[in-house]
Amino acid sequence: MENALIIGASGGIGQAVSAALEARGVSVTGLSRRDDGLDVTDEASVAAALRALTGPFDLILVATGALEIGDAAPEKALRQVSAQAMLDQFALNCVGPSLVLKHSVRLLPREGRAVFAALSARVGSIGDNSFGGWYSYRTAKAALNQMIHTGAIELGRSHRATICVALHPGTVETDFTRKYLGRHPAVPAPEAAENLLRVIAGLRPEDSGGFFDWQGKPVPW
């Protein structure tokens, strides 16, 4: 790997992945709302930011997302579901990465291995949902998984060596998760970054369109 693009580079995982890649001698381009004014929910913002880049990139990682947006905490019951909270979740956790995928195709090499990965979450799995709750976040991540799977099919026709996947990083100690860790085991962001990069390095062309956890194991749809 020589060149990587990290979207959401100012977040806990984005920062850690960027640092780990730079330690490996990889040239990293990072974009974020905080540092660059990138709003992944605004297509004009995404298009302008990516249009300014030349590439090609061996890795494009979308590390944006949020579990809690504004004052809307994850729902524990149907009565707590609201249209606005659900739309906000879709905008950030599904539409945002989808727009990045749309506008970054030209930044992927036509020949040679490359990886486009978006951070998803195990709670976005429909098959592995036995607890319920967290309606908006779960649904947005499930929709993201479908976008990645479908996008991988199209990319496979024009970029045969590009691998397009959704990745579950595990529970990571960041501002994103601090309020919700509870009894769930969590790992520091640098450890999560190493796990993700190990999975990315081991991906094969036949894995494109898949959903994998931090150990490289497939997650049920």
Side-chain angles (χ1 to χ4, degrees):
M1 189 187 303
E2 296 181 359
N3 299 295
L5 171 61
I6 309 299
I7 306 295
S10 66
I13 296 177
Q15 283 185 355
V17 171
S18 297
L21 287 170
E22 289 172 345
R24 290 164 164 78
V26 177
S27 176
V28 177
T29 300
L31 293 174
S32 69
R33 177 193 286 271
R34 188 191 72 186
D35 297 333
D36 307 285
L38 172 62
D39 180 357
V40 295
T41 69
D42 179 350
E43 184 161 10
S45 178
V46 174
L50 296 185
R51 188 166 53 242
L53 305 178
T54 56
F57 293 100
D58 308 298
L59 170 65
I60 298 177
L61 174 66
V62 184
T64 56
L67 176 58
E68 185 175 308
I69 300 175
D71 296 325
E75 310 95 339
K76 295 181 179 180
L78 280 169
R79 66 178 179 276
Q80 297 173 330
V81 172
S82 76
Q84 190 58 58
M86 184 165 280
L87 288 169
D88 289 343
Q89 283 290 334
F90 266 75
L92 183 57
N93 287 311
C94 178
V95 175
S98 300
L99 291 174
V100 174
L101 177 57
K102 171 185 175 180
H103 289 281
S104 64
V105 171
R106 70 173 189 82
L107 298 174
L108 294 165
R110 287 276 184 168
E111 303 292 336
R113 183 183 188 273
V115 174
F116 181 97
L119 295 189
S120 185
R122 185 177 292 275
V123 296
S125 167
I126 296 172
D128 188 25
N129 178 3
S130 58
F131 293 101
W134 289 25
Y135 291 93
S136 297
Y137 183 72
R138 282 186 187 275
T139 308
K141 288 297 190 181
L144 169 62
N145 293 343
Q146 180 69 286
M147 278 296 305
I148 292 297
H149 183 75
T150 307
I153 295 171
E154 181 176 343
L155 276 176
R157 299 176 184 134
S158 58
H159 296 69
R160 295 184 181 278
T162 292
I163 303 164
C164 182
V165 293
L167 297 178
H168 168 57
T171 304
V172 185
E173 296 171 358
T174 66
D175 291 340
F176 182 97
T177 61
R178 184 168 291 114
K179 290 173 59 177
Y180 300 96
L181 291 178
R183 293 171 293 177
H184 298 286
V187 299
E191 182 177 340
E194 293 295 338
N195 292 337
L196 288 169
L197 291 175
R198 189 178 308 113
V199 172
I200 289 168
L203 290 171
R204 302 160 297 175
E206 55 265 36
D207 294 322
S208 191
F211 180 19
F212 301 94
D213 71 9
W214 59 274
Q215 301 176 91
K217 296 179 179 179
V219 181
W221 293 117

